[in-house]
Amino acid sequence: MVLFEKKVGVGEFDIVRDGNEEIMKINYENYNRTPSVEDDENCMASTLDKLTQSPGVTRIIFNQRRTYSYDYDQTLILKEIANIFNYLIKQKKALSFGSDVLSAESLTYFPSRQQELQYLISDLFKKDPVGMYVEVKRILREQKIRLSKMKIKDHVKCQQYYIDLLEEILKLMDKTKLINTAKPYLDGLTIGDRSVYRLIFRPSITPDFIYTRLISTPPLTGQELDAYNIDEDTEVMIFRTPGDVKNLYHLIPPEFKLDEDQYELLDLARNVLASHKPKAEEFIDPERMRTNFFNIGKDLITELAQHKGFDLDYDEIENLARILVRYTVGFGLIEVLLKDEKVQDITVNGPIGETPIFIVHQDFGDCVTNIIPSQEDGLSWATKFRLLSGRPLDEANPVLDTELIVPNARARVAVISSPLNPEGLGYALRRHRDKPWTLPLFINNKMLTPLAAGLISFLIDGSRTFLVAGTRSSGKTSLLASLITEIMGRYRIVTMEDTLEIPVKAFRDLGYNIQPMKVRSALTTGGTELAAEEGIRTSLRLGDSCLIVGEVRSVEAKALYEAMRIGALANVVAGTIHGADPYGVFDRVVNDLGVPRTSFKATDIIIVANPIKTADGLHSVRRVTQITEVRKHWENDPLRENGFVDLMKYDPKLDQLVPTEDLINGETEIIKSIAGNIREFAGNWDAVWSNIQLRADIKETLVSYANKAERLDLLEADFVVKSNDQFHRISDMVREETGSLDSSRIFLEWQDWLKRELRKNIIKV
């Protein structure tokens, strides 16, 4: 809404309201310099003049091909100076130099003082308030020395009057944030030196065709912790900034490195494409829609470049077309953030437009970014997520769970809106790894130990039922996906999720016989999707399959336990659930979700993963903290009746899982149950333990070889699945030749196979 408007020429301005903000937009399109409060004294003077006319402004924007936006805190600093300037101008004694109280003889004796004061207040104050402050302090020192040497009474009176005026100006300026921030840098400062302003004013800079604001200048006082490229055109720097426990994630994407001709082309192309709004049915196949828009964009940019006489090569046209797609049918800088494999979570809080985007970084934890989305961004994203998901987002359904698939990234998305979110819209995105996690990858990052991986592998082959538990951001879904890589490819797998997080396509590319099912979110009412509990029952009619449930949230828990008890007894059944420990899982399943106690006994193994915080509270690491079996001979409370038996438990001093005495001594009913059905293991705990240790040794050796050869790709799912298959083939061969599962022979045969695989790539280890 426009509150105040003029005919906008160079330096003219509008006052517009955007939500709770009152924004001053100043036109600098034909200005011969880049508009900048920090670098240009004329821009600062003009802006202070305008602020005296519009004291309610909360943000200032300069428009000149790009938009330069000064946020509320920076605008407040300028408003404080404008208010003092306005006060001094309106206070007659400042510029009249006391003509109403001093004698004519005194005034004629001090004309230079009056001229000096006029220069300080009317000219220097607006152009360089910090320089003016330093100059006033210098003049004040000189005038006090002069005063001490004066003898004539009228002259003393006039001199004291002048000193009082200067001290009043200093007193007013000392209260401002500008001067208090600048004080550490004032030694040796001269009039016209604008370096101090660059420490204080850092506008967010956005091309005309982009609504999202980005603070492009790195913090001058920040300590650079890391720098890397996401791709050849996208730079990331991580800074530690004084006074903030969060690090700064500073992104410079390709759209902020274009020249003026390219900006003009994108602006024109975006205006043309704006007339073609994608239809709802186009969002059914977003990949095809993006491809169509990309091809249209390339043709359009090529034609516009020819018309304008701009010379662009093929790569430049493709780069501009990709940017154009991001800001028409895509998700803007959210997509650039998701391209960074080190970004794990993205948070956009309401009210959108007033706060930056926050992320969780793989190496540096919680970070604030230099990206500030606009209200237009927030509304556009909400519309696109509704269309992509086919789910409602309104007052009756203020929560939307869905997934986002963009080039080079997948993410789970949670959107909240009013009335649940009183600030309007809010977003949380969790980036998924493009490839499935594997147990060797978790060994490599110390989430679990080789022995734990060997134990899990044994239990998977034993077709047990699993619940992977943990708090938020503990890595439950990633750990669940790693369990799938341990299931032999000969078995069919059915996955069921309300938000697609398991990388089904990656498993399909690995040759898995896998069928995904998407069901209705527990937080959504109505809609065309099948309820989760019906989805589980349907899965039982799809034939003999392993069943993987993304997350057990609500009433589908009863159907899941039905599947555990009667539908999938010969296959792995696994799911994730929130719970900090085994009893927490029991409490949630039985008391919150209404599963009978006797049905809960269908759970065989609970794997708990949790973030472990460091002593300073600033960092955390993900660790598997328990692998627990659920025994069957208890009635009411498994904790009191020894229904939970830890097989492995986290030792904080060693920072790793360690086996319990129960596991070492074979006091485990689940593993004995598995062994009882296998001729080579029945009644022979030493053989069972040897096989678990063999699996651990294989995974540990694979991790060791991968690190020595600097080939961490060997820990990815494609090679790990190949290694697992080879382990099973070698085990079968050794058993047929020797009549037993000789662990030493199996390990040597597998190690020979691994070395042959490595030699294929001419790798020495």
Side-chain angles (χ1 to χ4, degrees):
M1 179 177 66
V2 177
L3 301 180
F4 174 77
E5 184 175 5
K6 290 185 178 182
K7 289 185 177 179
V8 179
V10 176
E12 297 296 332
F13 67 99
D14 293 340
I15 302 294
V16 300
R17 184 173 291 282
D18 184 1
N20 295 326
E21 288 194 295
E22 192 172 306
I23 304 170
M24 175 185 289
K25 294 187 175 182
I26 307 175
N27 175 43
Y28 279 103
E29 282 297 339
N30 296 314
Y31 192 54
N32 59 7
R33 296 179 58 186
T34 299
S36 167
V37 163
E38 59 273 21
D39 291 319
D40 190 326
E41 63 178 24
N42 293 321
C43 276
M44 175 171 271
S46 176
T47 302
L48 290 173
D49 266 336
K50 292 173 175 59
L51 286 173
T52 61
Q53 303 172 46
S54 308
V57 168
T58 57
R59 181 150 57 98
I60 300 167
I61 294 177
F62 297 157
N63 289 314
Q64 188 200 67
R65 185 66 63 192
R66 299 175 179 87
T67 62
Y68 302 82
S69 178
Y70 295 89
D71 63 20
Y72 175 80
D73 291 333
Q74 296 174 93
T75 301
L76 193 61
I77 291 172
L78 292 170
K79 284 170 64 175
E80 284 184 330
I81 301 302
N83 290 338
I84 294 174
F85 171 76
N86 201 29
Y87 167 76
L88 292 174
I89 290 295
K90 290 180 178 179
Q91 187 187 41
K92 292 182 179 179
K93 69 175 184 177
L95 296 182
S96 64
F97 196 63
S99 58
D100 54 336
V101 295
L102 296 176
S103 67
E105 182 182 352
S106 297
L107 290 173
T108 56
Y109 187 80
F110 288 99
S112 61
R113 301 288 80 78
Q114 191 170 10
Q115 292 171 6
E116 190 172 59
L117 199 60
Q118 290 272 5
Y119 162 70
L120 289 171
I121 295 175
S122 298
D123 187 29
L124 187 58
F125 197 143
K126 293 187 293 180
K127 293 180 177 179
D128 186 4
V130 175
M132 190 276 289
Y133 176 83
V134 172
E135 184 68 3
V136 168
K137 293 190 78 172
R138 183 191 64 78
I139 293 171
L140 188 60
R141 287 194 296 270
E142 292 179 354
Q143 297 308 317
K144 286 183 176 180
I145 293 171
R146 285 191 177 191
L147 178 63
S148 66
K149 298 177 181 179
M150 285 183 175
K151 305 297 183 182
I152 301 173
K153 184 176 180 181
D154 278 349
H155 292 177
V156 170
K157 184 177 181 182
C158 190
Q159 184 73 2
Q160 185 62 56
Y161 187 87
Y162 185 42
I163 289 172
D164 290 343
L165 283 176
L166 295 177
E167 287 182 335
E168 181 180 0
I169 293 171
L170 285 181
K171 184 178 179 181
L172 291 170
M173 294 293 284
D174 276 328
K175 295 178 181 178
T176 65
K177 187 173 182 180
L178 176 66
I179 297 302
N180 280 288
T181 306
K183 277 182 178 179
Y185 313 102
L186 296 185
D187 289 344
L189 188 77
T190 59
I191 294 174
D193 181 355
R194 303 195 69 81
S195 60
V196 68
Y197 297 114
R198 297 185 193 105
L199 299 173
I200 298 169
F201 296 104
R202 296 170 58 240
S204 55
I205 304 173
T206 307
D208 277 353
F209 63 89
I210 299 175
Y211 294 122
T212 301
R213 291 178 280 146
L214 183 138
I215 301 171
S216 59
T217 307
L220 297 180
T221 57
Q223 175 191 354
E224 185 176 313
L225 302 176
D226 194 11
Y228 58 91
N229 285 4
I230 299 174
D231 53 40
E232 61 182 18
D233 296 318
T234 309
E235 301 170 16
V236 171
M237 290 179 284
I238 310 291
F239 292 95
R240 177 181 292 123
T241 53
D244 195 340
V245 295
K246 296 184 296 299
N247 294 320
L248 170 65
Y249 178 96
H250 191 273
L251 178 75
I252 303 295
E255 46 264 54
F256 285 80
K257 300 178 182 179
L258 306 178
D259 61 35
E260 295 302 319
D261 291 344
Q262 292 172 332
Y263 279 132
E264 184 178 349
L265 286 177
L266 277 175
D267 203 18
L268 290 170
R270 188 175 183 275
N271 289 334
V272 173
L273 284 182
S275 61
H276 175 71
K277 295 183 178 179
K279 299 176 183 177
E281 54 266 27
E282 291 185 75
F283 281 90
I284 295 173
D285 189 351
E287 185 176 349
R288 181 179 177 184
M289 178 181 65
R290 291 179 73 101
T291 301
N292 289 340
F293 266 74
F294 177 72
N295 292 330
I296 293 169
K298 281 200 303 182
D299 293 341
L300 181 57
I301 289 167
T302 302
E303 291 177 12
L304 290 171
Q306 291 172 350
H307 177 71
K308 289 284 185 179
F310 299 153
D311 185 22
L312 297 179
D313 62 30
Y314 183 80
D315 290 339
E316 288 174 324
I317 291 171
E318 288 223 322
N319 183 44
L320 292 178
R322 282 191 290 269
I323 294 171
L324 187 60
V325 169
R326 274 209 293 272
Y327 292 97
T328 49
V329 295
F331 291 83
L333 288 178
I334 289 287
E335 294 188 15
V336 182
L337 286 173
L338 287 172
K339 284 178 69 175
D340 187 349
E341 294 183 357
K342 295 184 177 183
V343 170
Q344 297 174 335
D345 293 275
I346 301 171
T347 305
V348 184
N349 297 322
I352 295 176
E354 296 185 18
T355 57
I357 292 175
F358 295 88
I359 66 156
V360 177
H361 192 275
Q362 170 186 298
D363 301 327
F364 297 99
D366 294 292
C367 297
V368 61
T369 73
N370 61 326
I371 303 167
I372 305 171
S374 68
Q375 287 190 337
E376 291 92 340
D377 290 320
L379 293 171
S380 171
W381 298 339
T383 299
K384 291 170 184 173
F385 282 131
R386 278 195 295 264
L387 293 171
L388 284 169
S389 66
R391 292 174 175 174
L393 181 65
D394 49 35
E395 288 190 4
N397 295 276
V399 180
L400 172 61
D401 282 325
T402 187
E403 58 280 337
L404 174 62
I405 301 174
V406 294
N408 305 305
R410 299 182 309 114
R412 173 181 171 179
V413 183
V415 190
I416 58 172
S417 66
S418 59
L420 179 62
N421 180 6
E423 302 287 0
L425 288 162
Y427 296 86
L429 294 90
R430 173 158 297 169
R431 189 188 190 282
H432 298 310
R433 205 168 179 275
D434 299 329
K435 299 177 182 179
W437 279 91
T438 66
L439 296 183
L441 278 171
F442 283 132
I443 293 170
N444 197 51
N445 70 12
K446 299 183 180 181
M447 185 166 174
L448 47 73
T449 61
L451 181 61
L455 175 61
I456 290 170
S457 173
F458 185 89
L459 292 166
I460 290 287
D461 277 350
S463 298
R464 295 297 97 182
T465 61
F466 298 80
L467 283 179
V468 180
T471 57
R472 291 176 298 166
S473 300
S474 59
K476 298 186 297 296
T477 302
S478 299
L479 189 55
L480 180 68
S482 74
L483 301 188
I484 299 177
T485 64
E486 296 299 312
I487 298 174
M488 278 192 281
R490 62 190 294 184
Y491 299 115
R492 186 168 190 249
I493 299 171
V494 174
T495 67
M496 197 197 74
E497 303 174 274
D498 60 7
T499 302
L500 301 180
E501 299 182 75
I502 296 169
V504 170
K505 183 179 182 302
F507 282 115
R508 189 180 295 121
D509 292 343
L510 290 171
Y512 275 80
N513 178 6
I514 188 166
Q515 172 63 56
M517 295 176 62
K518 187 171 184 289
V519 295
R520 186 169 66 234
S521 169
L523 298 174
T524 301
T525 58
T528 59
E529 295 169 314
L530 196 66
E533 62 271 23
E534 291 303 319
I536 291 176
R537 292 190 176 99
T538 300
S539 72
L540 302 181
R541 296 194 288 272
L542 295 179
D544 190 27
S545 308
C546 302
L547 177 61
I548 309 296
V549 180
E551 184 165 344
V552 183
R553 302 177 191 266
S554 187
V555 292
E556 74 273 12
K558 292 181 180 179
L560 175 62
Y561 276 90
E562 180 182 333
M564 286 181 175
R565 297 184 70 186
I566 63 171
L569 292 178
N571 295 303
V572 171
V573 178
T576 66
I577 191 168
H578 284 282
D581 52 44
Y583 188 80
V585 172
F586 167 78
D587 190 37
R588 175 145 175 74
V589 169
V590 173
N591 296 324
D592 295 345
L593 303 181
V595 172
R597 283 177 168 78
T598 53
S599 295
F600 180 79
K601 295 178 184 180
T603 309
D604 290 325
I605 299 293
I606 298 173
I607 303 174
V608 180
N610 277 318
I612 304 295
K613 286 192 175 183
T614 56
D616 56 21
L618 294 175
H619 308 281
S620 67
V621 292
R622 293 186 174 111
R623 296 287 187 265
V624 172
T625 55
Q626 282 175 274
I627 300 177
T628 303
E629 76 170 24
V630 181
R631 292 187 172 175
K632 316 306 176 187
H633 304 294
W634 53 272
E635 295 298 328
N636 297 308
D637 189 329
L639 190 63
R640 293 182 179 179
E641 300 173 51
N642 201 31
F644 294 134
V645 176
D646 290 328
L647 304 180
M648 299 191 75
K649 195 156 186 179
Y650 178 75
D651 185 329
K653 292 182 179 179
L654 298 175
D655 187 30
Q656 65 179 30
L657 280 170
V658 296
T660 63
E661 291 297 321
D662 288 302
L663 176 61
I664 293 172
N665 296 327
E667 298 299 324
T668 155
E669 293 180 0
I670 299 299
I671 296 178
K672 284 181 177 179
S673 174
I674 296 171
N677 296 320
I678 301 172
R679 180 173 60 83
E680 290 81 4
F681 296 153
N684 187 347
W685 175 249
D686 288 340
V688 172
W689 182 252
S690 176
N691 191 263
I692 292 172
Q693 189 63 59
L694 166 64
R695 295 166 188 258
D697 291 342
I698 285 175
K699 296 189 186 302
E700 185 174 27
T701 302
L702 180 57
V703 173
S704 176
Y705 274 39
N707 280 289
K708 287 179 182 177
E710 296 183 352
R711 283 285 306 277
L712 294 184
D713 59 298
L714 298 178
L715 307 182
E716 298 291 351
D718 51 353
F719 195 83
V720 169
V721 169
K722 185 188 292 187
S723 171
N724 290 343
D725 289 346
Q726 195 64 27
F727 161 71
H728 286 105
R729 291 192 195 99
I730 291 171
S731 296
D732 186 54
M733 179 193 72
V734 170
R735 183 182 59 79
E736 287 186 357
E737 290 182 2
T738 66
S740 67
L741 292 173
D742 184 335
S743 294
S744 298
R745 170 87 180 274
I746 293 170
F747 181 73
L748 290 173
E749 293 280 356
W750 175 87
Q751 198 171 31
D752 287 342
W753 167 83
L754 177 61
K755 290 177 180 178
R756 289 194 300 273
E757 288 294 311
L758 295 178
R759 286 193 201 101
K760 290 179 183 178
N761 296 287
I762 318 176
I763 297 172
K764 295 180 180 180
V765 293

